[in-house]
Amino acid sequence: MSKATRSVFGETIAKLGETDPDIVVLDADLAKSTMSCTFAKAHPDRFFEMGIQEANMIGVAAGMANMGKKPFICSFSCFVTGRFDQIRLSLAYSNANVCIVGSHAGVGIGEDGYSQQGLEDIAVMRSLPNMMVIQPADEAECASALEYLVKHHKGPSFIRTTRQKLMDVHAPGFQFVPGKSDMLRDGHDLAIFATGGTVQGAIEAHDALKARGISARVVNVASLKPFDSEAVVKAVIECRGHIVTAEDHQIIGGLGSAAAEAIAESGHGALLHRIGLNTFGESGTPAELYRHFGLDGEGITRSILAWLGK
Amino acid sequence: MAENRSQRIEELKHLAQGFRIDIIDMLEKAGSGHPGGSLSAIDLITALYFQEMRIDPKNPQNPARDRFVLSKGHAVPAQYAALAGAGYFDKAELSTLRRLGGLQGHPVCTATPGIEACTGSLGQGLSIAQGMAMAAKADNRDIRVYCIIGDGEMEEGQIWEAALSCAKYKLDNLVCILDWNKAQIDGYCEDVMPLLPIAEKWAAFNWNVIQIDGNDMGQILDAFDQARSCKGKPTFILANTVKGKGVSFMENQVGWHGKAPSKEEAEKAIAELR
């Protein structure tokens, strides 16, 4: 089964809204794309159409949080996280209980091209104190992460959702735990850390590498901040010091950087290979773009083999 | 009744004058900060905390409190003076302004009781006030929300996003007050980025616009009364103020936007204010 995490967001937040009257959802004229429209239909009195005013929407959410609401603010990830100053001061510094829902992560959105592709969002959100950063890999994880945010988290958070469908990699009922990654395939020659749209490709790479006698661990990282540094260090020790990261995001500031920081601070020697973008996105079908940027199973496999000199 | 009112106005004026002395004193001790915009706004801030708003200094998180957001965060010495005067914290803390571990140079809601929002990057406070007013309306809570913005701040695009949006949501529980002191860091506003006509702009954005002398306590109280009686629209008070008000050598001087007085200057200013 597969589902876009933006759709999972819409369905889950509408459901959570049935039992939590403090949940409010705001959108900046993209409700049918972020899928906040599902909540709007279920709870019209708690949905606020804020128009194409992302900066104002961020401040309004901070004010609502001051009044005891639990706002979820939605837009394309690049647009909302582009209002960094507002997020920095009105949400992060204020420790406002607001969740930023950034949809349309990465080149996976396809044809619209770079201007609509959230490719630096993890990097900027990860730099902010107080900010929790989450990218779920599939339906079960997305639903669980949202439930966690509503029921157990108080403070600013950023959840990154995809336009494209993501294959299920977790069983129904999977529990998201902040600061914890989860191993999807074990291996001992190298470890691939993946997040969101690249998790499926990492699993395919595991299979392809296995056929060539290479045993690759695959670790899914939904909690980008807090980051599971321990899992990276463990992989360094158990997987011959070969670490790969794969993300539909710039390799600077995202998962690749988080892994590099964890390794560098661990005192263990390791080789790190970062797969992702180090350039702007483009137009194309999602599948074409994943192939072009080496983010699909074949691309990740090819990149790893070249890195290993095989 | 009229006599009570004029007596109350005199009390508030006296309070504001005392806060002016606190402002000069704390800025001199801090060695940096913004006297001009603190002195222009202090009459408005005094009226809010000591007359207009329902506050609970001993329980600053009281959910039923009215909300005030100082969007022009650099004027926070004025707010600190009023908060200490109202009993949110001990007045002795004023001397910690801008010191490590002391009162922050701009408002921080997680650090100081009575501060509702982190501000200081201009343009953000009105949006936050809007969210407060929307949440109050959504639950039919009788809470009023006040926000002071600066004139230089009005150059920020986000102010106009909020201006459009507050009108859409008919936030008659929200009052935006412009501290129109006419100067900003690089010069007079009309030279840096002309704002005129101001009242017409806000009226065109569907706000209830009231124009007053923002350093006249009686006019300030009247404006808040008028704002309460307006239904279906947010209120914009165009408060004509004097930058550096009350200290002759600071009045209308761009140079006193962001410069602390020396010990001698502070003594001279305080002698004038007493």
Side-chain angles (χ1 to χ4, degrees):
Chain A
M1 288 291 286
S2 69
K3 202 177 249 188
T5 43
R6 60 172 173 156
S7 303
V8 181
F9 161 70
E11 291 161 16
T12 308
I13 202 69
K15 189 154 175 286
L16 291 165
E18 288 169 12
T19 49
D20 189 337
D22 289 332
I23 294 174
V24 291
V25 176
L26 293 75
D27 205 304
D29 198 38
L30 285 169
K32 294 190 192 85
S33 298
T34 65
M35 300 311 288
S36 68
C37 58
T38 312
F39 181 93
K41 204 171 165 194
H43 312 285
D45 53 328
R46 284 189 276 143
F47 174 80
F48 300 95
E49 174 55 74
M50 301 309 296
I52 309 170
Q53 301 188 326
E54 295 83 7
N56 190 50
M57 174 170 73
I58 292 161
V60 166
M64 289 178 163
N66 171 288
M67 298 285 288
K69 300 290 181 193
K70 296 179 188 171
F72 285 73
I73 58 173
C74 312
S75 183
F76 285 12
S77 200
C78 58
F79 302 152
V80 66
T81 64
R83 275 59 183 181
F84 183 71
D85 185 20
Q86 285 77 17
I87 294 173
R88 173 180 182 268
L89 196 65
S90 295
L91 302 186
Y93 196 32
S94 307
N95 202 24
N97 193 22
V98 173
C99 177
I100 304 162
V101 184
S103 75
H104 290 61
V107 296
I109 73 162
E111 291 80 353
D112 272 341
Y114 175 71
S115 72
Q116 325 289 300
Q117 294 165 343
L119 283 164
E120 300 80 20
D121 46 357
I122 297 171
V124 291
M125 290 300 99
R126 215 167 65 83
S127 72
L128 290 169
N130 281 346
M131 186 66 68
M132 179 177 278
V133 180
I134 301 169
Q135 174 164 238
D138 64 3
E139 178 172 8
E141 190 167 49
C142 186
S144 175
L146 287 162
E147 189 174 348
Y148 169 80
L149 289 175
V150 167
K151 294 185 178 165
H152 305 293
H153 184 69
K154 223 171 156 66
S157 58
F158 167 64
I159 186 164
R160 188 182 198 237
T161 65
T162 59
R163 175 177 184 269
Q164 78 272 28
K165 290 181 178 174
L166 301 180
M167 292 291 294
D168 285 344
V169 294
H170 298 108
F174 173 82
Q175 293 286 310
F176 164 85
V177 180
K180 289 286 166 211
S181 58
D182 61 296
M183 190 163 68
L184 299 173
R185 300 285 187 277
D186 202 359
H188 52 78
D189 292 325
L190 59 91
I192 309 170
F193 288 79
T195 182
T198 54
V199 172
Q200 182 62 32
I203 292 171
E204 288 168 21
H206 164 92
D207 296 342
L209 291 167
K210 193 175 182 180
R212 302 185 59 135
I214 299 167
S215 162
R217 176 179 293 187
V218 176
V219 181
N220 166 51
V221 183
S223 180
L224 289 150
K225 192 180 169 212
F227 183 68
D228 192 354
S229 296
E230 269 178 37
V232 176
V233 176
K234 194 162 179 276
V236 168
I237 295 164
E238 295 175 1
C239 304
R240 303 177 194 278
H242 280 64
I243 304 294
V244 177
T245 57
E247 58 195 313
D248 186 356
H249 181 273
Q250 304 290 354
I251 58 169
I252 295 173
L255 176 61
S257 290
E261 290 156 15
I263 294 167
E265 288 178 343
S266 73
H268 294 276
L271 292 168
L272 174 66
H273 180 57
R274 292 175 295 160
I275 298 172
L277 273 79
N278 198 9
T279 181
F280 298 106
E282 286 184 41
S283 290
T285 67
E288 281 171 345
L289 289 166
Y290 262 52
R291 199 175 314 132
H292 177 76
F293 289 107
L295 303 174
D296 59 2
E298 209 186 304
I300 293 172
T301 307
R302 194 171 51 232
S303 179
I304 290 173
L305 288 172
W307 176 56
L308 295 173
K310 295 195 176 177
Chain B
M1 194 67 188
E3 198 173 313
N4 282 349
R5 184 183 161 80
S6 56
Q7 194 188 332
R8 184 65 190 143
I9 287 169
E10 287 310 311
E11 287 167 6
L12 291 168
K13 280 163 73 172
H14 182 71
L15 274 172
Q17 202 69 352
F19 295 149
R20 284 193 161 88
I21 293 170
D22 294 339
I23 290 167
I24 296 295
D25 190 44
M26 74 177 101
L27 287 173
E28 187 271 314
K29 285 198 177 86
S32 67
H34 300 80
S38 298
L39 293 169
S40 62
I42 189 60
D43 299 302
L44 296 160
I45 290 172
T46 303
L48 284 170
Y49 279 108
F50 292 87
Q51 183 69 23
E52 174 66 8
M53 293 199 299
R54 275 169 306 187
I55 60 171
D56 190 351
K58 294 300 161 213
N59 180 16
Q61 296 299 315
N62 186 334
R65 70 195 186 277
D66 287 337
R67 304 305 202 265
F68 167 55
V69 177
L70 181 65
S71 193
K72 46 168 284 183
H74 54 278
V76 74
Q79 190 174 13
Y80 288 150
L83 288 172
Y88 283 87
F89 51 81
D90 195 289
K91 201 179 158 181
E93 281 192 44
L94 295 180
S95 62
T96 70
L97 176 67
R98 290 176 171 251
R99 297 271 176 254
L100 185 62
L103 290 172
Q104 295 296 297
H106 287 79
V108 180
C109 57
T110 54
T112 309
I115 301 282
E116 300 283 0
C118 292
T119 58
S121 176
L122 294 173
Q124 299 189 23
L126 183 56
S127 303
I128 297 169
Q130 180 190 347
M132 294 167 173
M134 284 173 72
K137 264 206 180 293
D139 294 341
N140 290 315
R141 294 164 72 188
D142 178 26
I143 288 170
R144 292 185 68 75
V145 183
Y146 301 85
C147 177
I148 293 183
I149 63 170
D151 43 10
E153 183 177 21
M154 254 173 53
E155 293 156 16
E156 287 278 7
Q158 190 179 346
I159 291 289
W160 300 101
E161 291 188 5
L164 274 175
S165 194
C166 291
K168 170 187 170 177
Y169 287 101
K170 302 185 188 342
L171 299 177
D172 50 20
N173 54 345
L174 172 71
V175 181
C176 175
I177 306 147
L178 172 63
D179 177 15
W180 187 31
N181 64 26
K182 303 165 206 71
Q184 56 191 102
I185 298 177
D186 277 354
Y188 293 104
C189 298
E190 284 310 295
D191 298 325
V192 174
M193 187 55 64
L195 296 162
L196 297 173
I198 295 171
E200 289 84 344
K201 283 190 176 78
W202 288 82
F205 277 69
N206 283 325
W207 285 61
N208 169 45
V209 177
I210 302 169
Q211 301 191 50
I212 58 165
D213 176 341
N215 297 123
D216 182 310
M217 198 56 76
Q219 290 190 35
I220 294 170
L221 300 191
D222 286 347
F224 288 144
D225 287 344
Q226 276 183 52
R228 277 177 189 277
S229 63
C230 175
K231 299 294 167 213
K233 279 183 179 188
T235 288
F236 178 81
I237 298 177
L238 174 46
N240 190 354
T241 60
V242 172
K243 193 142 187 159
K245 174 76 179 179
V247 177
S248 61
F249 60 91
M250 289 184 178
E251 288 192 357
N252 293 315
Q253 297 301 311
V254 171
W256 285 103
H257 172 89
K259 187 180 76 167
S262 66
K263 201 160 173 28
E264 295 71 39
E265 287 164 335
E267 280 168 7
K268 200 175 150 200
I270 290 171
E272 272 188 40
L273 290 163
R274 280 205 201 281

